[in-house]
Amino acid sequence: MLDIEIDGKAVQVPVGSTVMDAATLAGIYIPHFCYHKKLSIAASCRMCLVQVEKAPKPLPACATPVTNGMKVWTRSKAAVQAQKGVMEFLLINHPLDCPVCDQGGECQLQDLSVGYGGSCARYQEKKRVFVNKNFGPLIASEASRCINCTRCVRFTAEIGGEMELGQAFRGDHAEIMTFLGRAVDSELSGNVIDLCPVGALTSKPFRYSARTWELSRRSSISPHDSLGTNLIVQTKNDVVKRVLPLNNDNLNECWLADRDRFSYEALTSEQRLVSPMMRNGEGWHAESWQIALAHVSSALCAIVSEQGGQALGALASPHSTVEELYLLQKLTRGLGSENIDFRLRRHDFRGDAVRSGIPWLGMTVADVHGLNAILVIGSFLRKDAPLLAQKVRHSALRHGLEVCTVGPNAEDWRMPMATRALVAPSGMVDTLAAIAAALAEKTGKALSDTLAARVPTTVSDDARAIAKSLADGEKTAVWLGNLAEQHPRAAELHLWAQEIARLSGASFGFIGEAANSVGGYFAGAVPREKGLDARAMIESPRHAYLLLGAEPDLDFADGAAAVDAMNRARLVVAISAFDSPVLRQVADVLLPLAPFTETPGTFVNCIGDVQSFEASTHSRGEARPGWKILRVLGNLLELPGFEQDNIEAVRDEALTGNSSCYARLNNAIGDVPVAEPPAARANVFQRVADVPVYFTDPLVRRAASLQKTADAAPPVARMPSATMAALGVQPAASRVRVRGRTGESVELRVEADENLALGCIRIAAAHASTVALGPLHGELSAERL
Amino acid sequence: MLSQESLQQIDREIAKYPPGKKQSAIMSALRVAQQEKGWLPREIIEFVAGYLDVPPIAAWEVASFYGMYDLTYVGRHKITVCTNLPCALSGGVHAAEYLKKKLGIDFNETTPDGNFTLKEGECMGACGDAPVLLHNNHHMCSHMTTEKIDQMLADLEKQ
Amino acid sequence: MSEHRLILAGLDGDRTWRLQDYVARGGYEAFRKILAEKTPSDTIIAELKASNLRGRGGAGFPTGLKWSFMPRSFPGDKYLACNSDEGEPGTFKDRDILRHNPHTVIEGMLIAAYATGCTRGYNYIHGEIFEVYRRFEEALDEARAAGFLGQNILGSEFSFELFAHHGYGAYICGEETALLESMEGKKGQPRFKPPFPASYGLYGKPTTVNNTETFASVPFIMKMGGEAFMNLGKPGNGGTKIFSVSGHVCRPGNYEINLGTPFSDLLAMAGGMRGGRKLKAVIPGGSSAPVVPADIMMDCTMDFDSISRAGSMLGSGAVIVMDETTCMVWALERLSRFYHEESCGQCTPCREGTGWLYRVVHRIEHGAGRPEDLDLLLSVAENISGRTICALGDAAAGPVQSFVKHFADEFGYHIENKKCLVLPAVQDAGSQIYVSQSC
């Protein structure tokens, strides 16, 4: 520890601290612009100049290391003179457009100029003007306001993983730009808006819509990925205007993924369902809650009494709250059905019978920091879980974490990669077995008896390299991603991941597909014995379906089959925040659901944190919180246990016995028999289906600005150029007809993708144009058009 | 995008730096590219960036930072005149004025026939030889009296 | 007194820069001796310290001390960099060293690499002197072919690879950390120090950066001994130094003299004042150095201490001579334009301040000065000075401060009368295209 005195205040700081760190510790604010705790030190804005004993000139607090016995004055005459000098320089070319600037009221330059700026300008020359840039649909640029702090540049390189912004030219011609005026494509791009200390980078969707002082603030939790990102939802006149990060050092730190930041636009989408709707022959009409619920109740009663409880299936989105999922399973079970599930994109449920507890990440997110090696199995990590990927990236860039992957995809994760075993879905189990075999050989530990016989005869170099990374690392982890969870042999992948983890001493777990992928288990929204899982409910169609927050065509493992099953059902009740043509096609009653900003609720994230939130606004139109809809329905059905007065009562009930939720987290799995993959056939390809980051759930699918980004481009058929050659398709803008097992075909544009295993075609799911192809993992045939 | 010869030159530059430090060759690579193309169109910058595994914007930062890269079209002969103080004391400004008059263009302009572009340069480190000017970045002309300027322009016209 | 040529010695033939000519002049003897005798690095560094050699690039930092900062037992690569990015208006000595005597730089770098344990070096050569860059590459090829560079040099255990890196037009890269950034393939924006290059240099590895002339002096120091070298100059200002004399003299050019030689002698070597006109002022150490009026300058000797006492600095040894035909407002305008053009844009005070200074000086020069402008200039200059990462801010402020201080009347006249004190016709005549007889 070092002793330092700042403004007469003695503090002790660890070796390696800067004067800025010491000041923060002492509770002293030093004005600054370029400094940011999460970015590298630029020391260039010079706003944090302070006086240091024995130093002949003022020194930047952000970059000056503390030495023992150092004396620093941050408010002395010399320090303030230096700070005021810098402020004057910052202002000479800054436009005087605060009244029309979106940053007004939350502008660091504006705030600090009150303290350090002069009351009139000595600069009488012409002000510099820059042309505004187009950074895409999310970030607005007002280039002349820029003070060249380069936070945004450093962010794209250091946090986003690829330098997308740069400071071009030099001297006072220096300006922030992208190459050739391209959009900033990072899925974390919106953070530069928060980082920009002035109004040079503002939010395109938000700008001109409200002043910061007009906004009310509510803390909330992101409903999208499994990280449980903490949010501040800002509203004006009961409308969500903006979403900002709420700092949580254990989860999202001070960052937001663009999905978390901009999905709020869907809340005011024209497709919001704002009234209960009932089918009326071929048409639809709005109905009162009373009548709609009475109808649902009597229709359900009728089917259950005629066909038995098992005629009913309940399917819920994994983005639903714990409370909603809990009441839905209670209602379903109350009606005598065990058919309840929230794992809608899953195919292989064999693990359910042999798992020991609730699957989770297997480690804390904060512990990613100390990992030496990680194996990520079957994941589009960067787009599936942008901020979890950022944690991995940070460790890989700064601390040499060796990142290995197994899967059919090897797209750019914007981080250094150690080994990527590129293997078709059908080969993934064998590859994991090979890694386990290599590990056994390397560590001298024996493979477990049941698995020893299943080890392949040849072990690839990639498998050996991955085994080496895992064996050599002191702290290591194995993660199963969304593609692994959705895999036709998911349970076997799970089993082998467990074996690899055992042999290498790694932790292992699941990244989780959605905000409540762990919470759904806590809520009991999974079938018990004799109950049907999500796949079985579709493959063996039910007479009645209760659909909660999910769209049958887009949120299921096989959207075409789901639509088909529901089309054939006598009754489909969809509780949904949005209206859609497909819902109108399959459903009989649509009940308007309040999305996460309009209801209190709870999500349990991938590490088992139970995070509850309040409603940020009132519900829109006649939409109602899901827990209330389900509770009233329970009452109408005269089911016991639906007497909760408030959401806390539901939450307490749902999480009873979960007082230590963490104790129920357990990834252990028992043996699962081998399910041989179908033999490879000529001209038959394996589908690799990613769920693109802005197609994942009903909310983000309707977020207008996100839908204008590159990540929301309509699906194409990606294939290695060797496959393109074999199919005889020329690279430029050619199209193919792709057919799934069901025989329905779709026409798609072809794109070469060398980061894809041979024998595979990657076609995104969760988009209307590819629903007809059927299952996420399936066989495809393709022909040139 | 670039000729085989240019690529070989770039490869020679890359070899000067330790493994994994290809980016160090970016200045040379851009110079080689500019020598071949006359200036640096954006797609050439992107090509060079790709060749060296550098993000395009990083290459753009470099190309826009250093004064000798031409980001816009220049004539066949780019003439850069030093007008800094030491040169100006020995006729640097006069030489520039003479060139302007002779070519009928101002700084940063190109003659209509596309033969000459005139630029005002920064210190070339040859103040003792004033007036100094640079032809196409790589050839320095010293002690440029009006007679020598006439001669140089005449020679270049013929090229 | 007359010239004392070490580095510039024997440069009268057409092919003098070639290896064989250098060897004929006794080149590579010092290095061979070190290899043969396995001279310990401490001995070399001690010799250098004894020579009192101070960096010739401008800052004048003791070279021996700098070398001693390099960590001894660093496990990875260590780098050596030669700073030949000579772009400070007035300075043109490194160009002559490299084109007339490149092997003395190579030998100096070899000795430095040996003494500091570097395995790889680069010579960063100013963008505008491409022909010199090519010549240096040829010299490197010669040295490689002769076994002076590469693995196990001359059969010893010492290995050193040396390459040339070509700049492309950025004055700031003469700042050593900007030079390192540039060598890494980035914009030449200086780094905040600490850490210094000796601990975090090229690619984050320990690195020593010296000026071309500094390296070029090393073989002579090794040959003649540190003390003898020091005794060439004044105490504390060891050795010979090349002065680049430009401006209103009869024979502009490089003059290698013992430090401590009177300025009047140097002026005489350069042929005296052009046209017999009267000396008005001298910038004695490159454009960044404060200007010194004639009467003070004529009493100075050319060494670090004397020039420093005169309120300026020896800097890179670039002597810009201005006679009575010079308008000082115009002269400052030329300088301020340069710093405005060359600011890297990183630090706020320099990025914004150099433009402000230039615009005000430009305004005064063009007859749009205001009475408050001089105070404003001084205040802006003060707000830049010492507030930036590197010295470019100070370099931009220094001339403004010194010109206004010494020639306030001339600036005042300009502002009041909207025209030059020195008649335009006189200025014009004084700065006509001039080529000395020696060419």
Side-chain angles (χ1 to χ4, degrees):
Chain A
M1 296 299 271
L2 301 168
D3 289 309
I4 173 172
E5 191 188 300
I6 306 183
D7 295 346
K9 226 172 170 177
V11 271
Q12 281 207 324
V13 294
V15 175
S17 302
T18 62
V19 172
M20 185 70 89
D21 297 334
T24 308
L25 215 64
I28 293 167
Y29 176 77
I30 300 175
H32 60 268
F33 294 106
C34 69
Y35 168 78
H36 189 276
K37 59 182 177 179
K38 297 287 180 186
L39 302 175
S40 65
I41 307 277
S44 61
C45 77
R46 316 307 283 178
M47 193 63 209
C48 70
L49 289 174
V50 294
Q51 187 189 346
V52 177
E53 189 181 43
K54 291 185 194 129
K57 47 188 191 180
L59 297 175
C62 67
T64 304
V66 172
T67 54
N68 206 22
M70 194 180 233
K71 275 190 181 174
V72 173
W73 296 272
T74 72
R75 309 281 309 153
S76 65
K77 195 167 165 250
V80 172
Q81 193 193 356
Q83 292 156 3
K84 285 188 166 176
V86 171
M87 176 53 75
E88 182 179 34
F89 286 129
L90 285 171
L91 293 176
I92 63 171
N93 277 308
H94 193 82
L96 244 179
D97 64 348
C98 301
V100 296
C101 175
D102 234 36
Q103 194 84 353
E106 52 185 0
C107 173
Q108 262 175 287
L109 187 65
Q110 196 179 39
D111 292 351
L112 288 175
S113 69
V114 174
Y116 300 88
S119 50
C120 62
R122 297 196 294 169
Y123 185 75
Q124 301 292 321
E125 323 305 316
K126 228 186 215 172
K127 286 202 183 215
R128 173 187 61 212
V129 175
F130 288 125
V131 178
N132 293 336
K133 314 292 181 295
N134 185 358
F135 292 149
L138 306 176
I139 304 163
S141 141
E142 288 283 347
S144 297
R145 293 180 190 149
C146 176
I147 58 166
N148 276 291
C149 72
T150 70
R151 279 183 180 183
C152 56
V153 175
R154 284 174 282 149
F155 175 85
T156 60
E158 296 165 16
I159 308 294
E162 181 161 313
M163 190 175 174
E164 289 188 84
L165 287 165
Q167 184 198 35
F169 302 98
R170 72 182 185 215
D172 64 3
H173 307 293
E175 54 176 326
I176 304 298
M177 52 172 64
T178 55
F179 186 70
L180 285 181
R182 287 175 187 166
V184 179
D185 280 340
S186 165
E187 62 285 350
L188 304 174
S189 71
N191 291 297
V192 301
I193 298 165
D194 297 344
L195 287 171
C196 183
V198 296
L201 302 176
T202 55
S203 164
K204 239 180 213 177
F206 168 68
R207 69 175 171 165
Y208 307 141
S209 69
R211 284 297 192 182
T212 175
W213 56 84
E214 302 172 318
L215 296 167
S216 309
R217 288 150 168 81
R218 296 276 183 281
S219 62
S220 189
I221 304 296
S222 167
H224 301 294
D225 65 34
S226 64
L227 186 66
T229 296
N230 291 196
L231 310 175
I232 300 171
V233 175
Q234 303 194 331
T235 64
K236 177 185 169 188
N237 300 335
D238 215 31
V239 175
V240 176
K241 290 290 178 189
R242 179 165 74 165
V243 171
L244 295 177
L246 178 61
N247 194 78
N248 182 333
D249 280 336
N250 293 319
L251 298 175
N252 52 296
E253 303 173 52
C254 56
W255 311 126
L256 278 190
D258 287 353
R259 182 167 53 186
D260 305 324
R261 183 184 301 271
F262 296 110
S263 67
Y264 74 87
E265 279 193 288
L267 298 168
T268 49
S269 148
E270 286 184 356
Q271 293 176 52
R272 273 297 297 274
L273 193 57
V274 287
S275 164
M277 304 285 290
M278 283 177 57
R279 185 185 286 281
N280 182 4
E282 285 304 299
W284 284 81
H285 67 273
E287 196 48 89
S288 71
W289 272 105
Q290 215 175 357
I291 292 177
L293 284 177
H295 173 78
V296 170
S297 156
S298 61
L300 278 173
C301 274
I303 290 172
V304 168
S305 61
E306 282 171 35
Q307 309 288 338
Q310 295 301 329
L312 170 66
L315 294 157
S317 160
H319 302 274
S320 311
T321 65
V322 166
E323 294 83 350
E324 289 163 350
L325 291 166
Y326 175 74
L327 289 180
L328 179 68
Q329 64 83 29
K330 194 171 190 181
L331 187 133
T332 308
R333 292 194 161 106
L335 289 170
S337 172
E338 265 298 323
N339 308 333
I340 166 89
D341 212 337
F342 69 99
R343 301 161 299 177
L344 307 184
R345 291 201 181 100
R346 209 55 97 80
H347 182 87
D348 178 11
F349 291 87
R350 291 177 294 159
D352 272 0
V354 283
R355 64 180 161 78
S356 307
I358 295 176
W360 67 300
L361 191 63
M363 61 186 289
T364 68
V365 174
D367 281 344
V368 173
H369 180 73
L371 289 178
N372 306 111
I374 188 168
L375 168 60
V376 185
I377 302 163
S379 176
F380 298 91
L381 183 67
R382 182 177 146 210
K383 299 293 179 180
D384 285 351
L387 285 174
L388 200 55
Q390 190 273 320
K391 295 268 182 186
V392 175
R393 175 181 303 124
H394 181 86
S395 279
L397 285 171
R398 299 274 183 96
H399 307 293
L401 165 64
E402 293 187 16
V403 183
C404 307
T405 65
V406 169
N409 57 307
E411 76 283 2
D412 183 9
W413 286 6
R414 293 190 173 176
M415 61 178 90
M417 304 299 291
T419 310
R420 303 196 84 165
L422 196 59
V423 48
S426 60
M428 285 172 66
V429 171
D430 279 354
T431 303
L432 293 192
I435 293 169
L439 268 170
E441 191 185 306
K442 197 165 166 53
T443 60
K445 292 183 196 164
L447 283 158
S448 65
D449 293 342
T450 44
L451 295 181
R454 302 182 197 170
V455 166
T457 46
T458 55
V459 175
S460 68
D461 291 347
D462 283 344
R464 280 189 206 286
I466 292 169
K468 184 177 185 322
S469 286
L470 290 173
D472 291 351
E474 195 183 322
K475 282 189 179 167
T476 54
V478 177
W479 288 356
L480 291 144
N482 297 358
L483 186 144
E485 284 203 69
Q486 294 156 3
H487 194 275
R489 297 169 72 190
E492 288 170 78
L493 293 174
H494 184 168
L495 183 63
W496 280 108
Q498 172 174 269
E499 183 71 353
I500 289 170
R502 184 183 69 80
L503 290 167
S504 63
S507 76
F508 92 106
F510 293 85
I511 292 165
E513 290 172 74
N516 231 351
S517 285
V518 171
Y521 287 95
F522 279 110
V526 286
R528 291 191 291 249
E529 264 181 82
K530 290 183 189 159
L532 299 182
D533 54 51
R535 174 185 166 196
M537 278 186 257
I538 301 300
E539 288 184 353
S540 316
R542 302 290 96 193
H543 288 279
Y545 289 102
L546 269 174
L547 206 52
L548 175 64
E551 297 186 79
D553 49 340
L554 305 176
D555 290 323
F556 285 77
D558 184 342
V563 170
D564 194 45
M566 288 177 204
N567 266 334
R568 286 190 271 160
R570 270 172 63 189
L571 175 71
V572 175
V573 178
I575 307 172
S576 168
F578 299 98
D579 199 350
S580 88
V582 173
L583 279 176
R584 287 198 178 210
Q585 180 199 325
V586 303
D588 301 281
V589 182
L590 297 174
L591 301 176
L593 173 69
F596 81 108
T597 50
E598 299 171 13
T599 177
T602 303
F603 293 126
V604 185
N605 69 0
C606 62
I607 61 172
D609 291 340
V610 176
Q611 302 193 101
S612 297
F613 53 92
E614 293 300 316
S616 302
T617 66
H618 290 96
S619 302
R620 192 174 167 84
E622 289 296 306
R624 291 294 174 263
W627 74 273
K628 283 190 179 173
I629 299 171
L630 290 161
R631 192 203 58 188
V632 173
L633 196 55
N635 290 337
L636 289 174
L637 288 162
E638 295 176 0
L639 298 174
F642 285 83
E643 294 82 28
Q644 303 86 348
D645 285 336
N646 51 49
I647 185 125
E648 286 77 15
V650 182
R651 186 176 304 151
D652 289 347
E653 203 181 312
L655 299 174
T656 301
N658 294 335
S659 52
S660 171
C661 284
Y662 298 116
R664 289 183 61 198
L665 301 172
N666 191 336
N667 288 317
I669 185 171
D671 190 31
V672 184
V674 177
E676 288 296 340
R681 285 179 289 143
N683 299 324
V684 173
F685 300 93
Q686 295 178 45
R687 179 178 182 190
V688 174
D690 55 318
V691 178
V693 59
Y694 304 140
F695 296 172
T696 48
D697 55 79
L699 192 68
V700 74
R701 285 195 286 264
R702 291 168 177 84
S705 298
L706 289 174
Q707 292 306 317
K708 292 179 196 152
T709 63
D711 276 325
V716 295
R718 299 174 195 275
M719 55 186 81
S721 44
T723 307
M724 286 172 68
L727 289 173
V729 286
Q730 292 307 314
S734 52
R735 297 174 70 82
V736 284
R737 176 175 289 125
V738 187
R739 202 180 296 274
R741 224 179 13 205
T742 53
E744 287 269 357
S745 74
V746 299
E747 290 178 20
L748 293 166
R749 194 165 59 79
V750 174
E751 235 171 58
D753 184 352
E754 309 311 332
N755 295 317
L756 195 62
L758 272 178
C760 298
I761 298 180
R762 177 176 158 185
I763 300 174
H767 190 272
S769 68
T770 60
V771 171
L773 288 174
L776 299 181
H777 287 264
E779 293 183 340
L780 296 175
S781 62
E783 59 183 339
R784 184 169 62 128
L785 270 177
Chain B
M1 278 285 192
L2 288 178
S3 69
Q4 212 49 44
E5 199 195 330
S6 292
L7 293 178
Q8 278 167 5
Q9 278 187 55
I10 293 173
D11 290 342
R12 273 201 296 279
E13 294 292 337
I14 293 172
K16 289 180 181 176
Y17 304 96
K21 304 295 181 192
K22 268 189 189 176
Q23 184 169 352
S24 284
I26 193 150
M27 293 179 68
S28 299
L30 289 172
R31 161 175 45 86
V32 170
Q34 176 163 297
Q35 282 307 110
E36 181 183 324
K37 302 290 178 189
W39 62 292
L40 286 176
R42 306 295 188 273
E43 60 270 22
I44 292 294
I45 295 175
E46 188 168 23
F47 172 82
V48 168
Y51 198 76
L52 298 175
D53 297 332
V54 170
I57 184 66
W60 175 249
E61 275 196 347
V62 168
S64 64
F65 185 86
Y66 296 93
M68 289 166 67
Y69 298 114
D70 293 308
L71 305 178
T72 50
Y73 169 81
V74 292
R76 275 201 306 137
H77 304 289
K78 182 177 88 162
I79 294 169
T80 314
V81 194
C82 177
T83 59
N84 282 143
L85 179 61
C87 276
L89 294 172
S90 292
V93 175
H94 287 94
E97 291 305 319
Y98 185 74
L99 274 163
K100 284 183 192 172
K101 207 174 86 191
K102 188 98 183 164
L103 296 172
I105 52 173
D106 207 336
F107 285 133
N108 300 314
E109 289 180 358
T110 301
T111 52
D113 59 8
N115 270 345
F116 294 98
T117 298
L118 196 59
K119 295 257 177 187
E120 189 171 25
E122 297 309 333
C123 183
M124 298 167 186
C127 323
D129 295 355
V132 178
L133 47 88
L134 213 51
H135 170 239
N136 283 349
N137 297 323
H138 289 180
H139 176 57
M140 188 179 282
C141 310
S142 301
H143 305 296
M144 294 308 282
T145 57
T146 49
E147 298 78 39
K148 283 176 84 174
I149 289 173
D150 289 342
Q151 185 60 49
M152 177 191 76
L153 293 181
D155 290 347
L156 293 179
E157 288 273 16
K158 273 183 244 155
Q159 273 180 27
Chain C
M1 271 205 237
S2 61
E3 274 200 84
H4 186 137
R5 289 185 166 190
L6 295 176
I7 300 166
L8 297 182
L11 307 178
D12 29 25
D14 182 34
R15 295 167 56 81
T16 51
W17 65 273
R18 292 281 177 192
L19 176 72
Q20 57 189 38
D21 296 329
Y22 181 64
V23 170
R25 291 198 297 272
Y28 288 111
E29 273 171 18
F31 175 61
R32 277 181 189 279
K33 185 157 174 273
I34 287 168
L35 276 194
E37 295 176 0
K38 298 200 165 105
T39 314
S41 7
D42 286 342
T43 312
I44 297 173
I45 292 176
E47 204 65 55
L48 215 60
K49 283 182 175 167
S51 77
N52 234 321
L53 177 67
R54 288 167 66 169
R56 301 305 198 214
F61 192 82
T63 307
L65 191 59
K66 193 184 242 186
W67 289 12
S68 69
F69 291 154
M70 285 290 272
R72 287 300 166 87
S73 51
F74 184 80
D77 288 327
K78 287 187 277 186
Y79 294 101
L80 190 67
C82 175
N83 185 345
S84 301
D85 191 32
E86 182 181 51
E88 166 125 340
T91 316
F92 49 91
K93 64 191 175 65
D94 297 340
R95 167 172 173 252
D96 272 2
I97 296 171
L98 290 174
R99 61 182 181 157
H100 295 313
N101 209 358
H103 284 286
T104 182
V105 178
I106 298 174
E107 186 181 3
M109 290 188 78
L110 275 163
I111 294 168
Y114 178 93
T116 55
C118 294
T119 49
R120 206 177 247 273
Y122 295 93
N123 184 8
Y124 189 107
I125 297 175
H126 192 49
E128 283 83 349
I129 51 172
F130 183 71
E131 287 139 325
V132 176
Y133 165 76
R134 291 290 279 273
R135 176 169 294 183
F136 191 77
E137 292 232 293
E138 267 190 80
L140 285 176
D141 288 343
E142 285 186 328
R144 258 182 226 117
F148 288 120
L149 290 172
Q151 295 299 304
N152 300 97
I153 294 170
L154 303 177
S156 72
E157 287 184 358
F158 174 60
S159 300
F160 181 62
E161 301 283 358
L162 180 58
F163 304 96
H165 182 105
H166 189 214
Y168 227 58
Y171 164 66
I172 190 60
C173 292
E175 198 279 346
E176 62 177 3
T177 56
L179 178 138
L180 296 175
E181 286 284 299
S182 181
M183 226 139 71
E184 291 181 7
K186 304 176 199 157
K187 292 180 293 179
Q189 292 190 323
R191 299 174 182 168
F192 181 78
K193 292 160 287 266
F196 291 93
S199 54
Y200 191 91
L202 183 62
Y203 309 128
K205 300 290 196 297
T207 304
T208 292
V209 187
N210 282 128
N211 170 254
T212 319
E213 187 186 351
T214 310
F215 281 126
S217 304
V218 169
F220 299 98
I221 292 168
M222 291 299 130
K223 269 206 286 201
M224 70 169 66
E227 209 182 320
F229 184 82
M230 183 187 76
N231 288 337
L232 293 175
K234 275 183 26 177
N237 292 274
T240 62
K241 165 94 191 76
I242 301 174
F243 287 92
S244 306
V245 185
S246 64
H248 291 141
V249 293
C250 282
R251 283 195 301 275
N254 285 313
Y255 298 90
E256 186 175 6
I257 55 175
N258 293 338
L259 281 168
T261 304
F263 169 72
S264 51
D265 288 5
L266 179 62
L267 187 59
M269 284 175 225
M273 296 304 293
R274 200 188 295 169
R277 288 191 292 262
K278 209 172 129 209
L279 179 68
K280 183 171 188 176
V282 174
I283 301 174
S287 62
S288 310
V291 66
V292 180
D295 49 340
I296 303 177
M297 196 63 211
M298 289 307 282
D299 290 339
C300 287
T301 55
M302 297 309 291
D303 56 79
F304 291 98
D305 300 337
S306 170
I307 301 294
S308 168
R309 274 197 303 275
S312 188
M313 55 186 194
L314 192 71
S316 57
V319 181
I320 306 171
V321 178
M322 290 173 279
D323 69 20
E324 57 194 335
T325 66
T326 315
C327 168
M328 298 315 268
V329 179
W330 169 84
L332 180 61
E333 192 259 4
R334 291 284 87 199
L335 292 178
S336 292
R337 177 185 177 278
F338 173 77
Y339 290 106
H340 173 225
E341 285 295 319
E342 295 294 344
S343 168
C344 83
Q346 189 177 207
C347 301
T348 306
C350 176
R351 180 183 66 241
E352 306 294 341
T354 51
W356 195 353
L357 290 179
Y358 169 64
R359 288 181 189 107
V360 173
V361 177
H362 182 83
R363 213 160 30 77
I364 299 174
E365 164 68 7
H366 289 86
R370 305 188 186 113
E372 65 274 19
D373 277 348
L374 293 190
D375 286 340
L376 179 66
L377 279 177
L378 291 176
S379 164
V380 172
E382 192 190 338
N383 279 344
I384 302 174
S385 275
R387 310 269 169 85
T388 52
I389 286 177
C390 80
L392 194 140
D394 297 32
V400 170
Q401 290 163 325
S402 63
F403 272 72
V404 172
K405 177 180 160 197
H406 291 300
F407 301 96
D409 293 351
E410 215 172 318
F411 280 81
Y413 184 92
H414 241 287
I415 291 170
E416 205 171 309
N417 299 291
K418 315 291 180 203
K419 61 182 182 191
C420 293
L421 183 61
V422 182
L423 295 174
V426 175
Q427 287 184 48
D428 197 50
S431 296
Q432 277 291 349
I433 294 179
Y434 175 79
V435 175
S436 66
Q437 294 97 342
S438 63
C439 314

